[in-house]
Amino acid sequence: MRASLFYRIAAVLLLLFDAGHTAGFPWSDPKWGVDIGSMRSTHFYIMGFSRTYWDFYVGFGLFVSVFFLLAVVLAWQLGGLPPEFLARMLGTRWAFALCFAAMTVLSWKYFFVIPIVFSVAIALCLTAAAWLSAKPASTPPLP
């Protein structure tokens, strides 16, 4: 299989992961015993702003959604590059794969089965793509 296919699969998985994260992050079940009311009502001042833990929770959740969209675009664009250009992007290819390997570890430690499965699948696709994108025998110079 070609690296481009793995990047495109990763992009689709990332888009689904992002959609699930964005739709699900502020949701909680009362059976969990989480006191969202205190998260929303307890204000503190930080650097001149009145904030709550709920503000931080929502804000960082949306940050993650935005970064997932960036990852979707990056994976899709990497999948569309000619092999000779992709071969020159060693640092980008492996940093992207290692980022999602780290996210897999964090998902395993802090989350549940759905984010773990998505993180593993994405990390495997990005690792396979990075591996398959090794420098071709003769690489023409970049324009």
Side-chain angles (χ1 to χ4, degrees), residues 35-126:
D35 185 6
I36 294 175
S38 66
M39 286 179 69
R40 289 181 171 168
S41 64
T42 304
H43 287 263
F44 55 92
Y45 288 91
I46 184 164
M47 301 181 132
F49 290 87
S50 174
R51 294 291 182 250
T52 64
Y53 282 105
W54 184 256
D55 294 333
F56 277 78
Y57 177 74
V58 171
F60 281 113
L62 292 172
F63 274 10
V64 171
S65 294
V66 170
F67 278 112
F68 272 144
L69 285 177
L70 173 65
V72 170
V73 171
L74 179 60
W76 194 263
Q77 288 186 336
L78 288 172
L81 288 176
E84 58 273 8
F85 284 24
L86 196 53
R88 294 178 181 269
M89 300 182 70
L90 179 69
T92 302
R93 293 184 343 244
W94 284 107
F96 201 19
L98 290 173
C99 173
F100 275 88
M103 288 184 68
T104 299
V105 171
L106 294 172
S107 292
W108 184 266
K109 181 167 175 62
Y110 294 107
F111 300 123
F112 49 96
V113 72
I114 296 171
I116 293 168
V117 168
F118 271 96
S119 296
V120 166
I122 292 164
L124 288 174
C125 284
L126 294 175

